[in-house]
Amino acid sequence: MSENAVETEEMEVPEINDELESLLIQVIEEAQGKMEQGEVFPPFTATVMGDKLFTETHGGTIDECFESARDAVLNVAGARMYAFCYDGYIDTDEGDKDAIIAEGGIAGDKQAVVVGMMYDADENGAVAGFSDEIVYIAESENFLADVAPATQPEAEDESLEEGDAPQEA
């Protein structure tokens, strides 16, 4: 069931950093996998520090979830980027559409980006099918806007497994 709404308006899609895009896709696919297995996923953050990926789940009201996510990201010393993923809905021309939503930002960038994957739910709230694509929704507050960008050494491993983070090319 949807927990949060993101309203969209007509705007140009900004260029999204490749590493951030990869992280956003990873968290959406993780949530999608849980939903396909009939599980409800809690809102969670994935924060990249150096070459490590730290995940944390968040509970409470919508406001408490966002505050918890912001705190979790800011409490990772040396955080380079993050994604915050939750079940929500997108306001479209055809009405509200359920979606897995991921917000993500890079240290020092003014804005974060919000992307989502829409899905259909049956009358009981069970997932009936997912969209084939992840869509850009809007810009949002970047939890790391006031954090100085960290320098990251080159590395060959582009794995996004738990504990590993994307590397800049």
Side-chain angles (χ1 to χ4, degrees):
M1 238 10 198
S2 298
E3 296 178 6
N4 192 43
V6 174
E7 293 187 23
T8 62
E9 57 186 58
E10 296 271 335
M11 67 173 52
E12 189 172 315
V13 177
E15 184 71 27
I16 300 175
N17 171 285
D18 289 343
E19 279 188 290
L20 180 58
E21 181 178 359
S22 179
L23 181 61
L24 293 167
I25 291 168
Q26 175 189 334
V27 298
I28 287 174
E29 288 177 346
E30 181 177 330
Q32 178 185 8
K34 288 183 180 190
M35 292 178 82
E36 287 174 338
Q37 294 175 14
E39 298 177 34
V40 175
F41 75 92
F44 68 97
T45 49
T47 307
V48 177
M49 181 196 80
D51 62 352
K52 299 291 182 198
L53 180 66
F54 299 92
T55 60
E56 186 171 338
T57 60
H58 309 282
T61 66
I62 293 171
D63 289 339
E64 290 169 344
C65 253
F66 273 81
E67 192 61 36
S68 175
R70 180 182 298 108
D71 290 346
V73 168
L74 290 173
N75 284 329
V76 175
R80 294 191 302 119
M81 72 180 76
Y82 74 94
F84 175 40
C85 187
Y86 53 91
D87 188 8
Y89 65 90
I90 302 171
D91 181 19
T92 71
D93 292 340
E94 293 84 36
D96 293 341
K97 299 288 184 182
D98 291 320
I100 298 170
I101 297 175
E103 303 184 16
I106 296 175
D109 284 358
K110 184 177 178 180
Q111 295 289 314
V113 296
V114 183
V115 297
M117 176 185 282
M118 291 181 272
Y119 66 88
D120 294 316
D122 65 20
E123 62 278 350
N124 297 320
V127 175
F130 287 93
S131 170
D132 291 333
E133 63 183 348
I134 295 172
V135 297
Y136 172 78
I137 300 171
E139 290 184 326
S140 69
E141 171 193 357
N142 181 358
F143 297 163
L144 296 175
D146 296 329
V147 175
T151 57
Q152 175 65 25
E154 293 283 331
E156 293 183 25
D157 181 16
E158 293 188 15
S159 171
L160 287 177
E161 295 299 316
E162 180 71 25
D164 292 332
Q167 305 297 312
E168 293 188 42

PDB file of all heavy atoms in Angstrom, residues 1 35-36 38-40 98 119-130:
ATOM      1  N   MET A   1       0.830  -1.170   0.000  1.00  0.00           N
ATOM      2  CA  MET A   1       0.000   0.000   0.000  1.00  0.00           C
ATOM      3  C   MET A   1       0.876   1.235   0.000  1.00  0.00           C
ATOM      4  O   MET A   1       1.916   1.274   0.632  1.00  0.00           O
ATOM      5  CB  MET A   1      -0.832  -0.028   1.263  1.00  0.00           C
ATOM      6  CG  MET A   1      -2.324  -0.014   1.169  1.00  0.00           C
ATOM      7  SD  MET A   1      -3.101  -0.232  -0.374  1.00  0.00           S
ATOM      8  CE  MET A   1      -4.638   0.417   0.095  1.00  0.00           C
ATOM      9  N   MET A  35       8.510  -7.088  -3.164  1.00  0.00           N
ATOM     10  CA  MET A  35       7.084  -6.991  -3.465  1.00  0.00           C
ATOM     11  C   MET A  35       6.625  -8.158  -4.331  1.00  0.00           C
ATOM     12  O   MET A  35       5.523  -8.666  -4.155  1.00  0.00           O
ATOM     13  CB  MET A  35       6.768  -5.648  -4.123  1.00  0.00           C
ATOM     14  CG  MET A  35       6.945  -4.474  -3.168  1.00  0.00           C
ATOM     15  SD  MET A  35       6.629  -2.891  -3.949  1.00  0.00           S
ATOM     16  CE  MET A  35       4.836  -2.859  -3.854  1.00  0.00           C
ATOM     17  N   GLU A  36       7.473  -8.594  -5.259  1.00  0.00           N
ATOM     18  CA  GLU A  36       7.122  -9.737  -6.110  1.00  0.00           C
ATOM     19  C   GLU A  36       6.985 -11.016  -5.295  1.00  0.00           C
ATOM     20  O   GLU A  36       6.268 -11.931  -5.692  1.00  0.00           O
ATOM     21  CB  GLU A  36       8.172  -9.913  -7.218  1.00  0.00           C
ATOM     22  CG  GLU A  36       8.073  -8.867  -8.292  1.00  0.00           C
ATOM     23  CD  GLU A  36       9.177  -8.931  -9.327  1.00  0.00           C
ATOM     24  OE1 GLU A  36      10.261  -9.497  -9.046  1.00  0.00           O
ATOM     25  OE2 GLU A  36       8.966  -8.401 -10.422  1.00  0.00           O
ATOM     26  N   GLY A  38       5.644 -11.019  -2.405  1.00  0.00           N
ATOM     27  CA  GLY A  38       4.513 -10.794  -1.518  1.00  0.00           C
ATOM     28  C   GLY A  38       4.868 -10.104  -0.218  1.00  0.00           C
ATOM     29  O   GLY A  38       4.037 -10.002   0.683  1.00  0.00           O
ATOM     30  N   GLU A  39       6.089  -9.614  -0.113  1.00  0.00           N
ATOM     31  CA  GLU A  39       6.530  -8.935   1.103  1.00  0.00           C
ATOM     32  C   GLU A  39       6.241  -7.438   1.013  1.00  0.00           C
ATOM     33  O   GLU A  39       6.213  -6.863  -0.070  1.00  0.00           O
ATOM     34  CB  GLU A  39       8.036  -9.121   1.311  1.00  0.00           C
ATOM     35  CG  GLU A  39       8.471 -10.553   1.497  1.00  0.00           C
ATOM     36  CD  GLU A  39       9.980 -10.674   1.626  1.00  0.00           C
ATOM     37  OE1 GLU A  39      10.615  -9.765   2.199  1.00  0.00           O
ATOM     38  OE2 GLU A  39      10.513 -11.671   1.117  1.00  0.00           O
ATOM     39  N   VAL A  40       6.054  -6.831   2.156  1.00  0.00           N
ATOM     40  CA  VAL A  40       5.964  -5.378   2.239  1.00  0.00           C
ATOM     41  C   VAL A  40       7.348  -4.914   2.664  1.00  0.00           C
ATOM     42  O   VAL A  40       7.892  -5.400   3.653  1.00  0.00           O
ATOM     43  CB  VAL A  40       4.920  -4.939   3.285  1.00  0.00           C
ATOM     44  CG1 VAL A  40       4.922  -3.437   3.463  1.00  0.00           C
ATOM     45  CG2 VAL A  40       3.542  -5.432   2.884  1.00  0.00           C
ATOM     46  N   ASP A  98       0.293   3.852  -7.970  1.00  0.00           N
ATOM     47  CA  ASP A  98       1.213   3.289  -6.988  1.00  0.00           C
ATOM     48  C   ASP A  98       2.601   3.193  -7.597  1.00  0.00           C
ATOM     49  O   ASP A  98       2.751   2.902  -8.793  1.00  0.00           O
ATOM     50  CB  ASP A  98       0.750   1.896  -6.565  1.00  0.00           C
ATOM     51  CG  ASP A  98      -0.522   1.927  -5.741  1.00  0.00           C
ATOM     52  OD1 ASP A  98      -0.662   2.832  -4.896  1.00  0.00           O
ATOM     53  OD2 ASP A  98      -1.380   1.041  -5.937  1.00  0.00           O
ATOM     54  N   TYR A 119       3.488   0.556 -10.396  1.00  0.00           N
ATOM     55  CA  TYR A 119       2.978  -0.810 -10.372  1.00  0.00           C
ATOM     56  C   TYR A 119       1.467  -0.780 -10.199  1.00  0.00           C
ATOM     57  O   TYR A 119       0.898   0.219  -9.764  1.00  0.00           O
ATOM     58  CB  TYR A 119       3.648  -1.652  -9.279  1.00  0.00           C
ATOM     59  CG  TYR A 119       3.361  -1.223  -7.864  1.00  0.00           C
ATOM     60  CD1 TYR A 119       2.245  -1.707  -7.166  1.00  0.00           C
ATOM     61  CD2 TYR A 119       4.208  -0.345  -7.194  1.00  0.00           C
ATOM     62  CE1 TYR A 119       1.992  -1.326  -5.860  1.00  0.00           C
ATOM     63  CE2 TYR A 119       3.952   0.042  -5.886  1.00  0.00           C
ATOM     64  CZ  TYR A 119       2.844  -0.456  -5.222  1.00  0.00           C
ATOM     65  OH  TYR A 119       2.590  -0.072  -3.928  1.00  0.00           O
ATOM     66  N   ASP A 120       0.839  -1.886 -10.587  1.00  0.00           N
ATOM     67  CA  ASP A 120      -0.600  -2.041 -10.411  1.00  0.00           C
ATOM     68  C   ASP A 120      -0.838  -2.939  -9.214  1.00  0.00           C
ATOM     69  O   ASP A 120      -0.122  -3.922  -9.004  1.00  0.00           O
ATOM     70  CB  ASP A 120      -1.237  -2.679 -11.653  1.00  0.00           C
ATOM     71  CG  ASP A 120      -1.132  -1.770 -12.870  1.00  0.00           C
ATOM     72  OD1 ASP A 120      -1.378  -0.565 -12.722  1.00  0.00           O
ATOM     73  OD2 ASP A 120      -0.810  -2.285 -13.961  1.00  0.00           O
ATOM     74  N   ALA A 121      -1.854  -2.597  -8.438  1.00  0.00           N
ATOM     75  CA  ALA A 121      -2.238  -3.412  -7.295  1.00  0.00           C
ATOM     76  C   ALA A 121      -3.689  -3.834  -7.467  1.00  0.00           C
ATOM     77  O   ALA A 121      -4.502  -3.085  -8.020  1.00  0.00           O
ATOM     78  CB  ALA A 121      -2.061  -2.629  -5.999  1.00  0.00           C
ATOM     79  N   ASP A 122      -4.004  -5.044  -7.008  1.00  0.00           N
ATOM     80  CA  ASP A 122      -5.387  -5.510  -7.089  1.00  0.00           C
ATOM     81  C   ASP A 122      -6.203  -4.902  -5.942  1.00  0.00           C
ATOM     82  O   ASP A 122      -5.684  -4.125  -5.136  1.00  0.00           O
ATOM     83  CB  ASP A 122      -5.467  -7.037  -7.108  1.00  0.00           C
ATOM     84  CG  ASP A 122      -4.971  -7.700  -5.825  1.00  0.00           C
ATOM     85  OD1 ASP A 122      -4.911  -7.027  -4.768  1.00  0.00           O
ATOM     86  OD2 ASP A 122      -4.664  -8.899  -5.877  1.00  0.00           O
ATOM     87  N   GLU A 123      -7.474  -5.268  -5.866  1.00  0.00           N
ATOM     88  CA  GLU A 123      -8.366  -4.684  -4.861  1.00  0.00           C
ATOM     89  C   GLU A 123      -7.947  -5.012  -3.431  1.00  0.00           C
ATOM     90  O   GLU A 123      -8.339  -4.331  -2.487  1.00  0.00           O
ATOM     91  CB  GLU A 123      -9.822  -5.106  -5.095  1.00  0.00           C
ATOM     92  CG  GLU A 123     -10.084  -6.604  -5.005  1.00  0.00           C
ATOM     93  CD  GLU A 123      -9.760  -7.375  -6.283  1.00  0.00           C
ATOM     94  OE1 GLU A 123      -9.493  -6.762  -7.336  1.00  0.00           O
ATOM     95  OE2 GLU A 123      -9.759  -8.608  -6.226  1.00  0.00           O
ATOM     96  N   ASN A 124      -7.121  -6.049  -3.258  1.00  0.00           N
ATOM     97  CA  ASN A 124      -6.625  -6.409  -1.926  1.00  0.00           C
ATOM     98  C   ASN A 124      -5.271  -5.782  -1.612  1.00  0.00           C
ATOM     99  O   ASN A 124      -4.704  -6.027  -0.553  1.00  0.00           O
ATOM    100  CB  ASN A 124      -6.516  -7.930  -1.793  1.00  0.00           C
ATOM    101  CG  ASN A 124      -7.858  -8.603  -1.926  1.00  0.00           C
ATOM    102  OD1 ASN A 124      -8.858  -8.102  -1.411  1.00  0.00           O
ATOM    103  ND2 ASN A 124      -7.895  -9.716  -2.631  1.00  0.00           N
ATOM    104  N   GLY A 125      -4.736  -5.000  -2.562  1.00  0.00           N
ATOM    105  CA  GLY A 125      -3.454  -4.347  -2.352  1.00  0.00           C
ATOM    106  C   GLY A 125      -2.257  -5.160  -2.805  1.00  0.00           C
ATOM    107  O   GLY A 125      -1.121  -4.696  -2.707  1.00  0.00           O
ATOM    108  N   ALA A 126      -2.488  -6.370  -3.312  1.00  0.00           N
ATOM    109  CA  ALA A 126      -1.385  -7.202  -3.796  1.00  0.00           C
ATOM    110  C   ALA A 126      -0.898  -6.685  -5.154  1.00  0.00           C
ATOM    111  O   ALA A 126      -1.693  -6.210  -5.968  1.00  0.00           O
ATOM    112  CB  ALA A 126      -1.837  -8.650  -3.932  1.00  0.00           C
ATOM    113  N   VAL A 127       0.401  -6.766  -5.370  1.00  0.00           N
ATOM    114  CA  VAL A 127       0.982  -6.291  -6.626  1.00  0.00           C
ATOM    115  C   VAL A 127       0.511  -7.168  -7.776  1.00  0.00           C
ATOM    116  O   VAL A 127       0.625  -8.387  -7.731  1.00  0.00           O
ATOM    117  CB  VAL A 127       2.516  -6.280  -6.551  1.00  0.00           C
ATOM    118  CG1 VAL A 127       3.126  -5.904  -7.898  1.00  0.00           C
ATOM    119  CG2 VAL A 127       2.987  -5.315  -5.475  1.00  0.00           C
ATOM    120  N   ALA A 128      -0.024  -6.531  -8.817  1.00  0.00           N
ATOM    121  CA  ALA A 128      -0.525  -7.246  -9.984  1.00  0.00           C
ATOM    122  C   ALA A 128       0.428  -7.143 -11.171  1.00  0.00           C
ATOM    123  O   ALA A 128       0.290  -7.861 -12.148  1.00  0.00           O
ATOM    124  CB  ALA A 128      -1.908  -6.716 -10.365  1.00  0.00           C
ATOM    125  N   GLY A 129       1.407  -6.237 -11.113  1.00  0.00           N
ATOM    126  CA  GLY A 129       2.362  -6.079 -12.202  1.00  0.00           C
ATOM    127  C   GLY A 129       3.122  -4.774 -12.086  1.00  0.00           C
ATOM    128  O   GLY A 129       2.626  -3.802 -11.511  1.00  0.00           O
ATOM    129  N   PHE A 130       4.341  -4.765 -12.630  1.00  0.00           N
ATOM    130  CA  PHE A 130       5.210  -3.593 -12.587  1.00  0.00           C
ATOM    131  C   PHE A 130       5.387  -2.988 -13.972  1.00  0.00           C
ATOM    132  O   PHE A 130       5.359  -3.701 -14.976  1.00  0.00           O
ATOM    133  CB  PHE A 130       6.597  -3.970 -12.056  1.00  0.00           C
ATOM    134  CG  PHE A 130       6.621  -4.241 -10.583  1.00  0.00           C
ATOM    135  CD1 PHE A 130       6.451  -5.526 -10.097  1.00  0.00           C
ATOM    136  CD2 PHE A 130       6.805  -3.212  -9.679  1.00  0.00           C
ATOM    137  CE1 PHE A 130       6.466  -5.786  -8.740  1.00  0.00           C
ATOM    138  CE2 PHE A 130       6.816  -3.461  -8.315  1.00  0.00           C
ATOM    139  CZ  PHE A 130       6.651  -4.742  -7.847  1.00  0.00           C
TER     140      PHE A 130
END
